[in-house]
């Protein structure tokens, strides 16, 4: 379904310290999930939803990420001379995927600050923000649905998912009101990473946002919040209160999301995505059964 948005912003300036030492010299976005860097799934998702123009907000040590979305001339020449068309097409996948642009975040002042850095590129249009730690299954149309809701309501939209209350302190948590559509809610309150046991609900913001350009002046005025960082969540709360700009809606996602943000979830994401693959799934499933049997004894 056509929609009005064409640009995606992907914050990728984080240091990835949870994955040290793997991320000492490698950007965390480049850690493979099965056999593709995590970030490639996210760019593929944006492109699937019709967002060809992708802006990465990067930091230092992100050269590998830039190289991944560029030509790899030497590698291509070697594979061409070997006549290995299959591997050559795997190399080209990420080169041809999107129109990729980069801006540096500079000071690491938080997600809100990273999004603010996209202002010159995005200008006066609505845009999507996709966080690299979350992979949404290619069969589930979350971003497409959010773009539809943005157009229909002319408002900012966040993706929400029910989470285990014990995990609520890791997320932005929303207070919502129902609308006449089962998967769409009006967001009335938002709190960034509430203290354990104080979350107002178990509806968490997962890493997908469709934002109106009016968020930029709001972000500029947003004071540092949780962790001393400029929080996108705090700017969104201002938007939620602002009827003139359409408030804030949430799309409640009930599909498949893979979290690559911490080590255990990252390992789970690899297994979940690999068992679904035609080439690896059958062998992995059989081995997993044997492995678990041995483990339980
Ligand atoms: C960010 C947001 C948070 C959101 C989360 C989703 O936090 O600040 O509101 O719930 O992404 O993954 P981060 O996980 O980057 O600390």
């Amino acid at each position: 379904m056509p929609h009005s948005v064409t640009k995606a912003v992907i914050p990728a300036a984080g240091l990835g310290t949870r994955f040290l030492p793997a991320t000492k010299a490698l950007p965390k976005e480049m850690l493979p999930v099965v056999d593709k860097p995590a970030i490639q799934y996210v760019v593929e998702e944006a492109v699937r939803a019709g967002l060809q123009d992708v802006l990465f907000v990067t930091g230092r040590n992100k050269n590998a990420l830039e190289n991944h979305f560029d030509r790899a001339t030497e590698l291509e020449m070697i594979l061409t001379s070997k006549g290995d068309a299959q591997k050559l097409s795997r190399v080209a996948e990420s080169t041809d995927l999107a129109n990729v642009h980069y801006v540096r975040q500079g000071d690491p002042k938080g997600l809100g600050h990273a999004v603010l850095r996209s202002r010159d590129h995005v200008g006066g249009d609505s845009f999507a923000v996709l966080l690299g730690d979350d992979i949404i299954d290619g069969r589930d149309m979350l971003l497409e649905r959010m773009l539809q809701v943005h157009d229909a309501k002319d408002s900012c939209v966040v993706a929400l998912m029910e989470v285990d209350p014990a995990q609520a302190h890791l997320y932005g948590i929303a207070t919502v009101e129902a609308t006449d559509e089962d998967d769409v809610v009006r967001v009335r309150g938002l709190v960034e990473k509430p203290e354990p046991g104080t979350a107002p609900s178990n509806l968490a913001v997962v890493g997908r946002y469709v934002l109106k350009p009016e968020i930029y002046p709001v972000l500029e005025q947003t004071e540092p919040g949780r962790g001393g960082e400029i929080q996108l969540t705090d700017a969104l709360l201002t938007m939620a209160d602002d009827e003139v700009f359409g408030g804030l809606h949430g799309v409640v996602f009930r599909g498949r999301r893979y979290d690559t943000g911490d080590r255990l979830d990252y390992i789970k994401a690899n297994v979940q995505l690999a068992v679904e693959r035609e080439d690896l799934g059958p062998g992995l499933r059989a081995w997993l059964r044997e492995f678990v049997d041995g483990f339980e004894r």
Side-chain angles (χ1 to χ4, degrees):
M1 186 174 284
H3 54 77
S4 64
V5 181
T6 59
K7 289 178 180 151
V9 172
I10 304 185
L15 296 175
T17 50
R18 274 185 268 187
F19 286 87
L20 282 169
T23 48
K24 185 179 173 191
L26 184 77
K28 72 166 177 173
E29 294 79 10
M30 290 300 295
L31 291 174
V33 176
V34 189
D35 50 9
K36 258 194 297 198
I39 199 69
Q40 189 175 328
Y41 291 87
V42 179
V43 177
E44 285 171 355
E45 180 191 338
V47 171
R48 251 193 330 267
L51 313 180
Q52 284 280 246
D53 181 313
V54 172
L55 176 74
F56 284 107
V57 184
T58 66
R60 301 182 76 80
N61 298 329
K62 299 290 176 171
N63 296 351
L65 191 152
E66 297 192 13
N67 290 341
H68 184 69
F69 292 99
D70 194 2
R71 295 289 300 269
T73 322
E74 198 185 330
L75 180 58
E76 288 170 35
M77 270 162 51
I78 293 168
L79 293 172
T80 306
S81 71
K82 285 185 176 166
D84 196 333
Q86 205 188 358
K87 289 204 179 103
L88 199 57
S89 79
R90 297 234 71 191
V91 170
E93 271 172 24
S94 54
T95 321
D96 301 335
L97 198 52
N99 301 321
V100 182
H101 309 268
Y102 300 90
V103 62
R104 288 261 184 135
Q105 186 176 359
D107 300 325
K109 291 192 203 154
L111 179 58
H113 177 250
V115 171
L116 193 50
R117 297 288 292 132
S118 68
R119 189 179 197 169
D120 284 350
H121 181 83
V122 168
D125 300 322
S126 289
F127 61 104
V129 174
L130 292 85
L131 303 188
D133 284 348
D134 288 309
I135 294 177
I136 302 296
D137 195 288
R139 294 162 291 187
D140 296 329
M141 308 278 119
L142 170 61
L143 190 55
E144 287 85 343
R145 179 67 178 138
M146 292 173 70
L147 290 161
Q148 264 177 11
V149 172
H150 161 270
D151 279 15
K153 310 278 187 199
D154 193 20
S155 81
C156 292
V157 182
V158 292
L160 298 173
M161 241 184 141
E162 283 187 16
V163 294
D164 176 351
Q167 301 288 310
H169 65 284
L170 301 172
Y171 296 93
I173 298 291
T175 323
V176 303
E177 276 167 17
T179 69
D180 48 16
E181 287 171 289
D182 170 52
D183 63 336
V184 181
V185 290
R186 178 73 203 252
V187 177
R188 292 295 177 192
L190 265 185
V191 46
E192 179 67 10
K193 303 198 176 98
E195 293 297 328
T198 68
S201 82
N202 66 342
L203 270 183
V205 176
V206 289
R208 300 293 179 271
Y209 308 79
V210 179
L211 302 177
K212 295 177 54 160
E214 287 81 7
I215 193 90
Y216 288 124
V218 174
L219 277 169
E220 242 171 15
Q221 298 297 317
T222 301
E223 297 289 333
R226 184 109 195 134
E229 298 188 332
I230 298 171
Q231 296 292 349
L232 181 57
T233 302
D234 295 342
L236 283 168
L237 181 59
T238 306
M239 296 302 277
D241 286 339
D242 199 326
E243 296 300 330
V244 178
F245 299 129
L248 177 64
H249 287 85
V251 166
V252 181
F253 182 57
R254 302 187 176 96
R256 290 154 283 199
R257 161 185 175 251
Y258 313 101
D259 185 355
T260 62
D262 84 13
R263 289 172 303 167
L264 182 59
D265 287 331
Y266 170 77
I267 293 166
K268 289 183 196 168
N270 273 278
V271 175
Q272 285 171 304
L273 284 160
V275 292
E276 302 265 350
R277 290 256 302 246
E278 269 176 31
D279 52 348
L280 302 168
L284 181 59
R285 277 170 201 269
W287 176 81
L288 273 173
R289 273 191 209 104
E290 264 176 49
F291 180 70
V292 171
D293 279 353
F295 197 64
E296 282 173 349
R297 252 180 261 130

